[in-house]
């Protein structure tokens, strides 16, 4: 059991799927959790009740995101930021328009940069903190199986941001790590073309999709006090899809 008493976590994209599982897992270990999502209705249904809270916002609204991160982490012994919100694109490269490319990067990468920047001073004042970025196997090997080049590019950027921030924030005892999930059974998988989903599944040695709580367990470990000497790491949670 990981000890998160006195911790406060902000989780983006927390209304469903992996983000909700992360929020529940962190709360279950004793952290106070702020769930952020742009889907206010789903967020209302996901609410964990006091002392936890929800904030309906779009992570591309930078002033709102900065304020919610700073407020959600204030006063914690161990502030935790989980950058999880993301959009998938499915257009093949020749059909991918610049606006979609830009939007996917704004949600999947730019928002993480803004949230990290907002979290850092609060974490520094607390004597340290944990940042966990939810990336993807696509950020390591590229997308392209079903037209996910913008998604993969943004996730690769997120992995580079993870390592850069890990180096720059280490002197403040702030660790920055990532998880790189393979295919996990959420709405995101349901939005994939079925033949593409079948092709992906055929490459998973463990022969099934992951569950959101299995990714959440890895995130929770990296967010814990016990993981204080791990930084700049990318933890694969992928059923063996990629072993590197
Ligand atoms: N499901 C998978 O197979 C899989 C695989 C690898 C990586 N991931 C990553 O895991 C994370 C969670 O994925 P998921 O499968 O749970 O996705 P999901 O689509 O089920 O949930 C994503 C959540 O993010 C929210 N969101 C999206 N854009 C937002 C925005 N602009 N502002 C605020 N909230 C926003 C959505 O409303 C939704 O609640 C993502 O970073 C995703 O890239 C998922």
């Amino acid at each position: 059991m990981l000890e998160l008493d006195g911790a406060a976590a902000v989780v983006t994209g927390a209304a469903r799927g992996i983000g909700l599982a992360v929020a529940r897992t962190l709360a279950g270990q004793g952290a106070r959790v702020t769930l952020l999502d742009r889907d206010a209705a789903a967020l209302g249904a996901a609410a964990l009740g006091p002392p936890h809270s929800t904030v309906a916002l779009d992570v591309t609204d930078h002033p709102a995101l900065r304020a919610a991160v700073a407020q959600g982490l204030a006063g914690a012994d161990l502030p935790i930021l989980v950058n999880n919100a993301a959009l998938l694109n499915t257009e093949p490269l020749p059909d991918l328009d610049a606006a979609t490319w830009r939007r996917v990067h704004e949600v999947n990468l730019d928002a993480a940069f803004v949230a990290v920047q907002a979290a850092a001073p609060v974490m520094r004042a607390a004597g340290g903190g944990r940042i966990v970025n939810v990336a993807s196997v696509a950020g390591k090997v590229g997308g392209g199986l079903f037209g996910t080049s913008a998604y993969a590019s943004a996730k690769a950027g997120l992995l580079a941001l993870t390592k850069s921030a890990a180096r720059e924030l280490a002197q403040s005892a702030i660790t920055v790590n990532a998880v790189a999930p393979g295919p996990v059974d959420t709405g995101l998988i349901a939005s994939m073309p079925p033949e593409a989903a079948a092709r992906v599944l055929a490459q998973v040695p463990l022969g099934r999709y992951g569950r959101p709580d299995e990714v959440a367990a890895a995130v929770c470990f990296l967010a814990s006090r016990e993981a204080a000497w791990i930084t700049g790491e990318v933890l694969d949670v992928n059923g063996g899809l990629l072993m590197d």
Side-chain angles (χ1 to χ4, degrees), residues 104-177:
V104 168
H105 282 76
E106 281 169 1
V107 175
N108 298 10
L109 179 57
D110 298 6
F113 151 67
V114 169
V116 167
Q117 214 177 43
V122 186
M123 292 181 171
R124 202 170 290 127
R130 302 274 179 273
I131 298 172
V132 184
N133 296 321
V134 182
S136 168
V137 65
K140 289 184 154 189
V141 303
L145 264 178
F146 51 102
T148 51
S149 47
Y151 177 82
S153 163
K155 292 296 189 182
L158 188 60
L159 292 176
L161 173 67
T162 299
K163 294 173 185 177
S164 305
R167 285 206 183 86
E168 291 199 41
L169 301 177
Q171 63 201 8
S172 302
I174 300 167
T175 67
V176 190
N177 293 290

Side-chain angles (χ1 to χ4, degrees), residues 16 18 37-38 58-59 84 86 134-135 151 155 181-182 184 186 188:
R16 58 172 64 77
I18 291 169
D37 206 285
R38 67 172 171 175
D58 191 305
V59 294
N84 168 80
V134 182
Y151 177 82
K155 292 296 189 182
V184 179
T186 68
L188 203 116

